[in-house]
Amino acid sequence: MERLMSSTDPKSSTTQASLPERAGRLALFGPPPLLEGEDAAAYDDLLVRISGAVKPTDIFEEIWIREIVDLVWGAFRLRRLKAKMTAVAH
């Protein structure tokens, strides 16, 4: 989330919430759902990329983005687990 908070993309819309306001809203969502050993920078990058693609205009879209990022992150986690279990089984 730090990169999202400090992003200075010149292409971003001026109608979007200011960065401090958006950072405050993101703080409402709590910490990312990371397990010990997971890459926080990779989660932040995913959040920044999805947020940049959607360009949220209100709190509802920001909530939606966080939900999507968390669901995608969970899917990635399951794929990693499946790969590890497959490697151990062989």
Side-chain angles (χ1 to χ4, degrees), residues 29 37 62 89:
F29 303 145
E62 290 173 11

Side-chain angles (χ1 to χ4, degrees), residues 17-67:
S18 68
L19 289 178
E21 183 181 345
R22 291 189 68 213
R25 287 181 180 175
L26 288 173
L28 292 174
F29 303 145
L34 300 174
L35 299 177
E36 187 176 328
E38 289 186 324
D39 187 354
Y43 178 91
D44 291 345
D45 184 53
L46 181 63
L47 179 61
V48 167
R49 293 179 70 182
I50 291 176
S51 183
V54 175
K55 295 179 181 44
T57 58
D58 58 31
I59 187 68
F60 295 108
E61 290 179 355
E62 290 173 11
I63 291 169
W64 176 63
I65 288 169
R66 175 65 188 261
E67 288 296 313

